[in-house]
């Protein structure tokens, strides 16, 4: 990235009938946000103007046809479509999903081409995004396909980080999906992300058990004894600071999580219910393990309040700040670790 320009934050607009555009516009109504980054929203002038007027915002923006033409000090809108999609606040429509995907695809393309530095995604509806050419359960799976690396859903705040072994799968399929290789892979992604993206050289990671009370020595399931414990032992013997499996019901209530740099939960609700309870709407969903930085707020489309001007934009703002921070941390990490022998020769 050139030193002369600010970090460019690509922003996909999400479901047009949800609160995505509202939390984006609320965030940048505060002109001080433009001191931190250059926002590039992927939508259209007409769509943003409609939302702006419907919600009573006075924010100004700069329309461009290419993210590379974004201007520092302004809110930029890339015109991804020329037509005027129908906006029906609070309704799950096929059109709302179609334009959410158009925005996402354009933003990811610009990210891959280096026209934006990071990506922050507004919420989508996992049902109405489904199409013949888009069959992904959510952002994470799509980004894993488009960007190099192995993805991991990583929910983060300043003092709590929770990753998931399995994410958007049915509870009945969780135990069967977890195997030693998956545990090794997800733990490795978290460890690398903590080092590269969060500046923690020797991270301590806790793994939560699959079954209640981590199986109670086989009384409530054998998966923890037969799968989790042997892999954790193997990783510890290899020098990784990995601990567990811990009983999930008491782990967060006893403040046990504060002793670790990250927690790896076995399945979606096991990790996200305590995370969202403790983060009070300031949490961020970060996709770890990819070649590019992507974050999003920790909430959904919130159809029930869409179009009413009631949406809390704090999580979106935190997602923006977290993307910028991770991008800077990653640049510093790569600079420090890239070919150290060559750097020593240069210094001589």
């Amino acid at each position: 990235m050139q030193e002369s320009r600010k970090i460019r934050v690509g922003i996909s607009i999400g479901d047009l009938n949800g609160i995505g555009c509202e939390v984006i516009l609320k965030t940048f109504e505060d002109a001080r946000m433009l001191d931190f980054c250059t926002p590039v929203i992927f939508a259209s002038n007409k769509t943003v103007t409609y939302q702006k007027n419907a919600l009573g915002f006075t924010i100004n923006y700069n329309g461009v046809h290419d993210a590379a033409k974004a201007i520092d000090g302004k809110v930029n809108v890339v015109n991804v479509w020329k037509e005027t999609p129908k906006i029906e606040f609070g309704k799950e429509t096929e059109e709302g999903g179609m334009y959410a995907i158009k925005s996402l695809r354009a933003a990811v393309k610009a990210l891959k081409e280096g026209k934006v530095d990071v990506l922050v995604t507004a919420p989508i509806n996992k049902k109405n995004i489904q199409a013949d050419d888009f069959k992904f359960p959510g952002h994470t799976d799509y980004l894993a396909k488009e960007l190099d690396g192995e993805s991991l859903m990583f929910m983060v705040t300043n003092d709590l980080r929770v990753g998931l072994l399995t994410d958007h799968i049915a509870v009945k399929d969780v135990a069967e999906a977890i195997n030693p290789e998956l545990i090794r892979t997800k733990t490795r992604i978290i460890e690398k992300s903590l080092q590269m993206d969060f500046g923690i050289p020797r991270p301590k990671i806790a793994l939560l058990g699959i079954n209640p009370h981590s199986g109670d020595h086989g009384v409530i399931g054998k998966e923890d004894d037969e799968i989790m414990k042997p892999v954790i032992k193997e990783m510890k013997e290899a020098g990784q600071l990995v601990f567990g499996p811990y009983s999930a019901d008491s782990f967060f209530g006893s403040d046990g999580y504060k002793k670790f740099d990250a927690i790896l939960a076995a399945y979606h609700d096991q990790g996200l219910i305590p995370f969202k309870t403790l983060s009070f709407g300031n949490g961020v969903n970060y996709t770890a393990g990819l070649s590019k930085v992507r974050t999003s707020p920790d909430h959904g489309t919130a159809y029930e309040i869409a179009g009413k001007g009631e949406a809390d934009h704090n999580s979106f703002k935190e997602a923006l700040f977290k993307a910028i921070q991770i991008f800077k941390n990653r640049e510093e990490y790569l600079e420090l670790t890239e070919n150290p022998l060559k750097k020593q020769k240069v210094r001589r």
Side-chain angles (χ1 to χ4, degrees):
M1 188 187 73
Q2 297 173 5
E3 291 292 331
S4 58
R5 70 168 175 85
K6 291 185 174 70
I7 292 173
R8 282 185 179 166
V9 179
I11 301 169
S12 61
I13 202 166
D15 192 311
L16 300 184
N17 299 325
I19 63 169
C21 197
E22 179 181 342
V23 296
I24 294 167
L25 295 177
K26 272 185 176 174
T27 297
F28 292 106
E29 262 206 320
D30 184 348
R32 293 173 298 179
M33 293 298 295
L34 300 178
D35 294 334
F36 299 100
C37 66
T38 298
V40 185
I41 304 168
F42 291 82
S44 76
N45 289 342
K46 291 179 181 178
T47 297
V48 174
T49 296
Y50 178 90
Q51 295 256 3
K52 168 186 159 181
N53 293 339
L55 293 161
F57 292 116
T58 57
I59 185 172
N60 294 317
Y61 63 86
N62 174 55
V64 293
H65 292 288
D66 189 330
K69 305 293 184 184
I71 298 174
D72 287 343
K74 292 183 180 293
V75 175
N76 298 271
V77 176
V78 176
N79 281 287
V80 179
W81 52 83
K82 295 180 180 178
E83 63 274 20
T84 306
K86 187 178 182 181
I87 295 174
E88 301 177 82
F89 287 122
K91 293 186 178 180
E92 178 189 293
T93 67
E94 185 178 336
E95 196 171 20
M98 180 178 73
Y99 283 95
I101 295 310
K102 282 190 176 185
S103 172
L104 176 62
R105 281 185 161 142
V108 170
K109 184 174 183 289
L111 183 67
K112 290 165 72 173
E113 293 173 351
K115 294 179 180 179
V116 296
D117 300 305
V118 299
L119 174 63
V120 181
T121 59
I124 56 176
N125 178 315
K126 291 178 176 60
K127 183 179 177 183
N128 70 4
I129 60 169
Q130 301 304 314
D132 290 340
D133 60 346
F134 195 94
K135 296 185 181 297
F136 300 93
H139 283 115
T140 305
D141 303 87
Y142 173 69
L143 293 168
K145 174 182 173 291
E146 291 293 318
L147 304 173
D148 296 329
E150 297 171 290
S151 66
L152 175 131
M153 190 173 177
F154 206 11
M155 306 298 292
V156 299
T157 62
N158 289 334
D159 58 358
L160 176 61
R161 305 176 190 90
V162 178
L164 302 179
L165 265 179
T166 62
D167 41 56
H168 295 124
I169 67 171
V171 173
K172 67 181 178 64
D173 299 325
V174 168
E176 189 177 340
I178 295 175
N179 56 61
E181 187 53 37
L182 179 70
I183 298 169
R184 291 187 200 101
T185 298
K186 297 295 186 180
T187 305
R188 186 177 65 247
I189 294 171
I190 282 189
E191 186 177 52
K192 185 67 174 177
S193 180
L194 290 170
Q195 293 167 340
M196 182 166 66
D197 302 328
F198 296 91
I200 303 170
R202 286 278 287 157
K204 288 177 64 180
I205 301 167
L207 277 75
L208 301 184
I210 300 168
N211 297 297
H213 305 294
S214 297
D216 244 346
H217 304 290
V219 176
I220 318 175
K222 300 181 183 299
E223 290 86 0
D224 293 283
D225 284 345
E226 295 179 357
I227 300 173
M228 295 282 281
K229 289 179 182 178
V231 181
I232 291 171
K233 183 179 180 214
E234 169 197 306
M235 291 189 292
K236 287 175 78 171
E237 288 174 350
Q240 293 175 271
L241 300 179
V242 181
F243 304 88
Y246 293 99
S247 180
D249 63 343
S250 59
F251 184 80
F252 292 95
S254 64
D255 286 347
Y257 69 93
K258 293 181 180 179
K259 300 173 184 176
F260 299 94
D261 298 303
I263 298 100
L264 186 56
Y267 56 93
H268 186 279
D269 283 12
Q270 186 191 61
L272 266 63
I273 288 174
F275 177 85
K276 291 187 177 184
T277 301
L278 293 166
S279 67
F280 296 106
N282 292 314
V284 173
N285 180 1
Y286 170 49
T287 307
L290 301 179
S291 60
K292 301 288 186 179
V293 176
R294 174 262 175 169
T295 63
S296 74
D298 68 354
H299 57 72
T301 55
Y303 286 141
E304 67 278 7
I305 59 169
K308 298 178 181 179
E310 299 174 2
D312 185 342
H313 65 292
N314 278 330
S315 184
F316 182 86
K317 186 166 69 172
E318 287 299 320
L320 187 86
F321 283 136
K322 191 64 68 177
I324 294 168
Q325 179 188 3
I326 291 171
F327 180 81
K328 290 179 177 178
N329 288 348
R330 189 176 283 197
E331 279 204 325
E332 184 178 347
Y333 176 87
L334 293 174
E335 185 180 344
L336 291 171
T337 57
E338 190 178 49
N339 203 345
L341 292 176
K342 183 178 178 182
K343 289 189 176 183
Q344 287 176 10
K345 290 178 182 178
V346 170
R347 282 198 291 269
R348 288 174 189 165

